[in-house]
Amino acid sequence: MSVITVNNLSVMYEKECVFSDISFSVEKGDYIALAGPNGSGKSTLIKTILSLVKPIHGSIFLFDKPLGDFKDWNKIGYVPQKLNLSQYFPATVKEVVAMGLVSKQSYFSKIKKVDLERIDYLLNLMEILQLKDKNINELSGGQLQRAIIARALVSNPELLILDEPTTALDPNTRERFFITLKDLNMSDNVTIILITHDTGGAGQYAKKLMYFDSKIVFYGTFDDFCSSESMSSYFGYNSQHIICHKH
Ligand code: ADP
Ligand code: MG
């Protein structure tokens, strides 16, 4: 089964073309590091797949369903790059995390005990359990980022898309978070797309690399990246091997 299929996708903002004619697919159990320069269209690509930006051309399938017919949004956990506080305000940390469940239940229905337990589990995992009744406007950037990650995980998603999720986390928390992600991928077969600038570190945890710069420069395993002659000439031999992290 394909989790994401993208065919001949083109996106424009006003008159500016962000990318055109992009095609690729993501299989169940993939863990993809999506890297590329600032402004190269990574966030736009993800937002288009999630139906938040409308393409001018092309088609997208989620879990083998055309995007227009796709309804199972609770199968997908998303951590956006830009966290918009006013979108949640006023709410406590616990309530923000519970919002990740709204597609599973009516918004105003009481949160079930099993869901409350999962919320506590995730807040504990992200080391912010003690903040659960705090208002989110009282949180630091890093604490808010952890709450948004917990929110993305709360519905036990089959696909996790994380757009630079660790920019506000300290190195130790970041390391533990990457171990958690790897564990979700290995044990629960959760498909992961992680947008990251950490090209040198991504090869330690992700299975595949997509290097995006208004087009797909490379998409495949780190081993294939490492041995690719065209990537040697694109990046230079040294950078190629810093990225693949194998040698
Ligand atoms: P990345 O995530 O790789 O840094 P983005 O997808 O955020 O890149 O941006 C790609 C290009 O589209 C950039 O030139 C950016 O300025 C532009 N862009 C992004 N969002 C918008 C928007 N909402 N309206 C107009 N232009 C945008
Ligand atoms: Mg971005």
Side-chain angles (χ1 to χ4, degrees), residues 29-172:
D30 273 349
Y31 184 164
I32 297 159
L34 173 52
N38 277 328
S40 61
K42 305 178 298 294
S43 296
T44 301
L45 176 63
I46 290 310
K47 286 193 228 169
T48 313
I49 291 169
L50 295 173
S51 200
L52 302 168
V53 168
K54 207 171 149 32
I56 53 159
H57 184 74
S59 61
I60 297 165
F61 296 81
L62 287 176
F63 297 91
D64 294 326
K65 272 225 163 78
L67 189 57
D69 299 338
F70 183 76
K71 299 281 185 308
D72 290 333
W73 289 104
N74 63 336
K75 280 189 176 177
I76 303 175
Y78 172 48
V79 177
Q81 178 173 17
K82 293 206 179 82
L83 306 174
N84 181 0
L85 258 184
S86 60
Q87 182 187 342
Y88 307 112
F89 191 76
T92 64
V93 171
K94 184 174 70 184
E95 286 164 348
V96 167
V97 176
M99 282 172 200
L101 293 165
V102 289
S103 49
K104 260 176 78 178
Q105 60 189 21
S106 116
Y107 190 78
F108 296 104
S109 69
K110 218 166 158 261
I111 305 168
K112 294 189 198 73
K113 184 158 178 283
V114 53
D115 290 330
L116 279 175
E117 282 167 8
R118 177 148 179 87
I119 291 168
D120 278 3
Y121 166 78
L122 289 169
L123 290 175
N124 189 42
L125 186 74
M126 296 314 297
E127 298 164 55
I128 49 168
L129 185 58
Q130 76 284 6
L131 303 176
K132 77 172 180 179
D133 295 314
K134 269 211 178 217
N135 211 299
I136 49 149
N137 66 343
E138 295 169 47
L139 303 189
S140 73
Q143 291 167 336
L144 177 65
Q145 199 161 38
R146 294 181 208 203
I148 302 303
I149 291 169
R151 175 178 168 276
L153 293 173
V154 75
S155 66
N156 277 311
E158 290 179 39
L159 168 63
L160 254 182
I161 300 180
L162 310 129
D163 195 347
E164 301 190 28
T166 62
T167 45
L169 301 187
D170 60 80
N172 288 335

Side-chain angles (χ1 to χ4, degrees), residues 153-207:
L153 293 173
V154 75
S155 66
N156 277 311
E158 290 179 39
L159 168 63
L160 254 182
I161 300 180
L162 310 129
D163 195 347
E164 301 190 28
T166 62
T167 45
L169 301 187
D170 60 80
N172 288 335
T173 313
R174 187 179 308 163
E175 184 75 2
R176 281 195 294 277
F177 175 60
F178 284 141
I179 291 168
T180 302
L181 284 187
K182 191 165 183 172
D183 195 46
L184 282 170
N185 176 249
M186 303 293 273
S187 315
D188 301 342
N189 212 25
V190 175
T191 309
I192 298 175
I193 299 177
L194 174 71
I195 300 184
T196 176
H197 279 291
D198 183 18
T199 41
Q204 287 172 65
Y205 40 82
K207 293 173 180 163

